[in-house]
Amino acid sequence: METTREQAKQQSHDETVASLQELLEKTYDAEAGYKEALKKAENVHLKNYLKERAVLRNRFATELSDALIRLDEKPKEKGSTVGDLHRTWMNIKQAFSTDKDEAILEECIRGEKASVEEYEEVLQKKPYRPEITNIITSQKREVAQSLSNIKTLEDLA
């Protein structure tokens, strides 16, 4: 029979895993979104930015997967249905847009702002082990920094 302490430990583990899996799924969605946008962008600066973001999200996915493996859990291997639906909406929106690069940039800004909020929500859920907190905090910081980089791209697009 499990003790209250063991139950609490298991519950904490389960909550940590759920948070990491959620971030991982959204990271896959973001990476796929950047790759999709990269195919449609025309401005060379925007293309470079999108490529960098896709590579960054791929690294994030590896970091989150590694953290889950260290917790003896199997990481998710793909993004969400919601992410697929969002990319479809983005494709439809771009098809009717007169300035595809501007539409792509707007989606990037919206997506990065949403990502920062998601990271903040995960960090507020509970205290994690230091190595988990460090991964989440570092990734959030890099996403926030990318918002600053987008501002300079707005001037170029």
Side-chain angles (χ1 to χ4, degrees):
M1 183 163 199
E2 282 188 276
T3 64
T4 305
R5 176 176 281 203
E6 289 168 336
Q7 288 173 335
K9 187 176 178 183
Q10 185 61 46
Q11 183 178 351
S12 177
H13 173 84
D14 293 347
E15 289 169 1
T16 297
V17 169
S19 292
L20 290 175
Q21 294 283 26
E22 186 179 326
L23 280 178
L24 180 58
E25 189 175 66
K26 289 178 179 181
T27 298
Y28 287 140
D29 289 343
E31 179 183 3
Y34 281 121
K35 286 179 177 177
E36 186 65 29
L38 180 60
K39 294 177 196 172
K40 303 200 177 0
E42 294 170 6
N43 179 293
V44 78
H45 299 291
L46 180 57
K47 282 183 169 289
N48 287 335
Y49 173 81
L50 296 168
K51 190 179 203 177
E52 289 170 8
R53 294 300 104 194
V55 168
L56 182 68
R57 293 307 168 98
N58 184 277
R59 179 172 58 81
F60 285 3
T62 300
E63 290 171 356
L64 293 167
S65 292
D66 289 349
L68 284 158
I69 290 167
R70 284 191 298 276
L71 292 171
D72 290 329
E73 296 291 338
K74 185 180 188 308
K76 289 188 177 190
E77 296 177 5
K78 62 180 186 154
S80 67
T81 306
V82 173
D84 289 339
L85 292 172
H86 174 73
R87 282 188 296 282
T88 300
W89 168 246
M90 200 165 98
N91 289 338
I92 292 167
K93 183 178 173 184
Q94 286 172 3
F96 294 105
S97 175
T98 54
D99 187 347
K100 286 184 182 178
D101 284 352
E102 187 177 327
I104 290 169
L105 211 48
E106 286 174 13
E107 281 303 308
C108 288
I109 291 169
R110 193 199 60 68
E112 293 293 58
K113 285 180 180 177
S115 288
V116 169
E117 289 173 15
E118 289 161 359
Y119 278 102
E120 286 173 357
E121 285 173 19
V122 167
L123 285 166
Q124 290 172 7
K125 280 185 184 176
K126 63 188 277 312
Y128 301 96
R129 295 183 350 200
E131 65 273 14
I132 303 287
T133 300
N134 289 342
I135 291 168
I136 297 169
T137 303
S138 172
Q139 290 185 2
K140 180 188 130 194
R141 191 178 319 113
E142 289 187 69
V143 173
Q145 179 61 44
S146 102
L147 270 169
S148 299
N149 296 344
I150 288 177
K151 300 297 183 203
T152 61
L153 275 176
E154 282 184 305
D155 299 335
L156 299 173

